[in-house]
Amino acid sequence: MNLLEAEEGRTYQVKEINTDDPEMTSFLFRLGCYSGEPVTLISKKRKGCVVAIKDGRYSFDHLLASAVAIEDGGR
């Protein structure tokens, strides 16, 4: 499952980043979005979503959101 398939208001754990673009992987890493980190889906938008990672809120477009594979935070 990726961020676009997540439920608003829930916290998930980042499972992996699914992209072949090293710049995108580096960008997400700088935000704190890497394997094992919690991420909360604040809201979904037509062309992406808003997420909370660590102490920040970020707007991810469709491409970024689809690259972030997540799993239920309780697992």
Side-chain angles (χ1 to χ4, degrees):
M1 172 166 65
N2 63 37
L3 284 173
L4 295 174
E5 301 164 329
E7 183 180 324
E8 289 183 7
R10 290 199 52 204
T11 299
Y12 298 90
Q13 188 172 31
V14 177
K15 187 175 180 181
E16 64 183 335
I17 305 300
N18 295 320
T19 181
D20 293 331
D21 184 354
E23 288 182 27
M24 183 184 296
T25 303
S26 177
F27 174 73
L28 289 168
F29 185 81
R30 286 193 306 270
L31 295 180
C33 186
Y34 47 85
S35 183
E37 286 299 309
V39 59
T40 303
L41 181 65
I42 303 298
S43 66
K44 289 184 182 181
K45 305 291 182 188
R46 186 172 43 170
K47 295 186 178 182
C49 60
V50 177
V51 297
I53 304 170
K54 298 197 180 271
D55 292 331
R57 286 185 178 206
Y58 305 100
S59 179
F60 283 8
D61 66 5
H62 190 272
L63 187 62
L64 275 174
S66 64
V68 180
I70 55 173
E71 60 189 0
D72 190 0
R75 289 184 194 173

